[in-house]
Amino acid sequence: MGDVGVAGVGELERELRRLDGAAYGRYRGLVGEWELPGGFALRVVRAQADPYAPPARVAVRVRGERAGFPGELWDSPVRRRALAGWLVRRAAREAARESAFHVDAGGQEVLARSSCTVGDDGSVTLRLGVALPGPRRRIDGRAAWELLGEGLPWIAEHALCHDGERAAEAAGFVAAVEDSAVLRERLPELGLVAFVADGALLPRRSGADDRPARRGGLVPFRAPEELRVTVDLPNAGAVTGMGVPAGVTLVVGGGFHGKSTLLRALETGVWDHVPGDGRERVVAHRDTVKIRAEDGRSVCRVDVHAFVDHLPGGAGTADFSTPDASGSTSQAASLCEAVETGARVLLIDEDTAASNLMIRDARMQALVAKEREPLTPLVDSVRSLHRDHGVSTVLVMGGSGDYLDVADRVVMMDDYRPYDVTARAREVAAVPTGRRAEALSFPGVTARRPEPASLDASARGRTRVRARGTDHLVLGENEVDLRAVEQLVDGPHVVGVGLAVELLVRRGHLDGQRTLAEALDLLDRDLAGPGGVAALLGVHDDDFAVPRRHEVAAALNRVRALRVRR
Ligand code: ADP
Ligand code: MG
């Protein structure tokens, strides 16, 4: 240290003694760099305006030599993300002793988070909120020193530095995350879109608690012989499990036999999970997108004519907009948008799908003339989606046999155990139902060019990006409903989506000329590897997690003020 502008050890304590008893607002004078006892550095990024405002934001930095982690824990981008994930969970446990500290540790997923990053020199930065003490709106210099000058170094020493006792745990965490990431990247070369390891535990504690279930009677996953594959992982070695091949995969079975639980595990398989989660080796292709019905959403100039045609009133559907989509048109729009922006795998669950978009059986075809029915069901284009566009589908459908005709693979869940019933399904499908296909192919989707001015993240002259729970993003003057974007993990993830939209506009990636897919390619470059957190930092100092292009596209597509050219 000793750089210009960095206050040396002792100066923070002196400054806080000086400020003791002063008006609360003078905490603002702390913004800047300070040296902490123990060889750590503190940066006060934002002070708190008053005791009831959101906590001050600070960053604690530990130099690589001081942190002392062996190089193999941080010598690649994925290892740095994993080590940061392990460190931030430890830091959150240590910080919990003091209610003034707010550390975003994340849940079961190991995302790149702003709350903790590891640099390519092995340095560690922890970013957290600190509620600065202010009885009667006065600075309490002594209490503030205890938090900043004693509490933070304690956390840094006990959570952010290498210690021999916990070394094996850190190495295990990093190894598990790396294996998961490698497994996901290997899927394409194996011809797979997902993998579920033998022994995986898929059910969760409850619908509101994402930790692994721990009641009796849990059935660990076991791959059916026909779909069993072995994959070599860098740390765990050979691992066996069910490979879900590219193409159309149908998951069938009776109600309550574990179909949705399997699909849900695939949805979250685009992220890595913490050891002990049960889904550490459940992965899905990185471009896997969950699709569902979402009546009421807005749709802006999406080409949905593959699924919707001649609407009552004659509205064109190759260029379809509505402020209030129906179940089926919302799902058609979400599907077409996902294909437009590069999804390679679609996941659909009958529980949350619009049945009239999924199927139209022989009897209904006989009763309602095609000319009177605007919808062409997915069953008639799902094969072409793969054959002509390289987009695979995994579909949970226990209620209709029409998909047996078009599935490459049929997996039956029975008492939480998967069986490959493809051969039997073929026999059943050989008996004609009299149903006629309503489309020969999926025609593709016209690309859109969003106008950046319609995605302005500022409100009253300032950037405003905030999460309202996991469900809503506040982006400038817009409130974006993300309840149906099911692969978002938590509030900080929602903030990351908002920051990514802001970045797309600020860097000029969205310029009204580029297609949305082209702009997202540029965003992917910005967010790749270790740059992800760095690219989104700075505008904003709240906690965030780095999203994929698909979450960013989903949010942008739900901005009601969105305007696009085509
Ligand atoms: P489906 O979609 O087939 O109706 P779900 O996936 O919703 O079934 O699962 C029904 C219930 O079974 C849920 O409460 C879920 O937690 C539980 N469950 C799912 N998989 C397992 C399993 N492998 N072992 C034990 N319980 C499970
Ligand atoms: Mg279900």
Side-chain angles (χ1 to χ4, degrees):
M1 306 279 306
D3 306 358
V4 188
V6 180
V9 175
E11 289 191 34
L12 178 61
E13 188 168 19
R14 267 197 298 283
E15 181 64 10
L16 285 169
R17 211 175 291 139
R18 203 173 66 78
L19 289 174
D20 187 51
Y24 192 92
R26 291 186 55 201
Y27 270 131
R28 255 191 298 261
L30 296 181
V31 169
E33 310 273 345
W34 306 87
E35 209 167 314
L36 289 175
F40 306 113
L42 169 69
R43 193 155 101 89
V44 179
V45 178
R46 172 166 59 74
Q48 221 172 317
D50 69 75
Y52 308 100
R57 295 291 304 178
V58 309
V60 180
R61 195 175 133 88
V62 184
R63 283 174 295 106
E65 314 83 79
R66 179 71 176 87
F69 290 100
E72 66 266 21
L73 295 187
W74 49 266
D75 59 7
S76 72
V78 63
R79 289 178 181 182
R80 289 195 280 278
R81 168 166 59 86
L83 180 60
W86 185 72
L87 293 171
V88 77
R89 283 166 176 79
R90 255 177 94 180
R93 275 197 300 275
E94 297 296 346
R97 302 156 181 263
E98 178 51 74
S99 64
F101 293 136
H102 301 268
V103 175
D104 169 36
Q108 299 301 106
E109 294 83 5
V110 184
L111 305 181
R113 284 180 188 273
S114 60
S115 56
C116 189
T117 49
V118 173
D120 55 13
D121 54 358
S123 63
V124 179
T125 304
L126 178 72
R127 300 180 184 83
L128 69 160
V130 182
L132 294 171
R136 295 176 308 283
R137 295 180 186 271
R138 296 272 148 199
I139 289 180
D140 182 340
R142 179 74 229 150
W145 169 254
E146 279 168 15
L147 291 174
L148 301 176
E150 294 170 2
L152 292 179
W154 205 89
I155 292 171
E157 184 75 56
H158 291 86
L160 306 180
C161 292
H162 184 57
D163 84 59
E165 268 171 55
R166 314 285 298 275
E169 193 193 317
F173 193 102
V174 171
V177 170
E178 181 178 58
D179 276 350
S180 162
V182 168
L183 182 54
R184 184 175 306 104
E185 293 313 309
R186 291 225 176 121
L187 292 174
E189 73 202 49
L190 296 166
L192 304 176
V193 297
F195 178 89
V196 184
D198 288 330
L201 266 189
L202 308 187
R204 300 294 96 189
R205 206 159 292 184
S206 80
D209 186 340
D210 198 38
R211 289 174 297 172
R214 51 175 186 189
R215 51 185 181 268
L218 295 177
V219 179
F221 194 85
R222 188 154 176 80
E225 283 313 318
E226 299 87 336
L227 295 174
R228 173 163 293 145
V229 294
T230 304
V231 188
D232 240 322
L233 298 181
N235 303 299
V239 169
T240 63
M242 178 173 88
V244 179
V248 180
T249 302
L250 187 63
V251 180
V252 303
F256 227 66
H257 279 261
K259 303 183 299 297
S260 295
T261 303
L262 172 60
L263 199 77
R264 180 75 200 126
L266 301 186
E267 281 166 51
T268 178
V270 298
W271 314 117
D272 302 320
H273 290 88
V274 298
D277 174 79
R279 301 168 299 188
E280 299 92 311
R281 293 176 199 150
V282 179
V283 298
H285 189 293
R286 52 144 65 154
D287 293 310
T288 297
V289 178
K290 170 74 182 291
I291 303 294
R292 55 167 294 167
E294 180 189 358
D295 55 306
R297 67 158 283 191
S298 62
V299 175
C300 180
R301 305 195 63 183
V302 178
D303 176 1
V304 294
H305 84 281
F307 299 111
V308 191
D309 219 343
H310 50 266
L311 284 174
T317 58
D319 187 351
F320 177 71
S321 299
T322 175
D324 185 13
S326 66
S328 52
T329 52
S330 64
Q331 189 180 339
S334 298
L335 198 157
C336 292
E337 287 166 345
V339 171
E340 179 191 355
T341 48
R344 311 307 290 173
V345 186
L346 305 175
L347 304 178
I348 302 176
D349 190 333
E350 60 183 350
D351 292 349
T352 51
S355 64
N356 53 351
L357 188 72
M358 302 301 291
I359 48 174
R360 204 161 95 87
D361 69 12
R363 285 184 157 167
M364 206 46 84
Q365 284 182 330
L367 184 65
V368 182
K370 176 62 190 151
E371 301 74 58
R372 310 298 305 161
E373 171 55 271
L375 298 177
T376 303
L378 177 65
V379 68
D380 291 321
S381 52
V382 73
R383 287 212 63 72
S384 163
L385 260 174
H386 182 242
R387 183 188 62 224
D388 305 322
H389 304 272
V391 179
S392 294
T393 307
V394 182
L395 202 78
V396 169
M397 181 62 89
S400 162
D402 283 349
Y403 277 88
L404 297 180
D405 293 310
V406 296
D408 296 304
R409 286 280 171 188
V410 183
V411 174
M412 181 163 78
M413 294 302 290
D414 187 24
D415 275 339
Y416 313 129
R417 286 185 183 81
Y419 297 88
D420 183 334
V421 296
T422 308
R424 251 165 60 211
R426 294 254 153 79
E427 288 167 29
V428 172
V431 180
T433 64
R435 186 179 186 282
R436 284 166 284 112
E438 297 179 20
L440 294 173
S441 66
F442 181 80
V445 178
T446 307
R448 296 170 301 156
R449 302 164 199 278
E451 295 189 21
S454 68
L455 293 165
D456 189 3
S458 65
R460 280 182 256 113
R462 294 173 57 184
T463 302
R464 183 157 78 188
V465 174
R466 229 180 295 150
R468 210 157 273 160
T470 318
D471 293 345
H472 290 88
L473 168 68
V474 179
L475 180 77
E477 304 283 357
N478 304 288
E479 170 127 359
V480 191
D481 187 341
L482 298 176
R483 279 175 298 178
V485 184
E486 294 176 316
Q487 289 166 298
L488 279 167
V489 164
D490 55 18
H493 211 189
V494 172
V495 173
V497 166
L499 293 174
V501 174
E502 195 272 343
L503 191 77
L504 277 170
V505 173
R506 178 161 45 90
R507 292 213 168 152
H509 297 342
L510 280 177
D511 57 2
Q513 301 301 315
R514 278 195 197 97
T515 66
L516 179 51
E518 288 164 352
L520 291 168
D521 288 344
L522 296 177
L523 178 74
D524 276 345
R525 281 214 320 246
D526 292 342
L527 299 185
V533 168
L536 299 179
L537 262 178
V539 182
H540 190 292
D541 41 44
D542 273 356
D543 293 313
F544 65 83
V546 178
R548 298 181 304 164
R549 63 189 281 142
H550 304 291
E551 283 71 51
V552 177
L556 186 152
N557 279 317
R558 285 164 178 76
V559 172
R560 289 184 178 273
L562 177 66
R563 289 190 312 275
V564 306
R565 296 183 208 157
R566 309 220 313 179

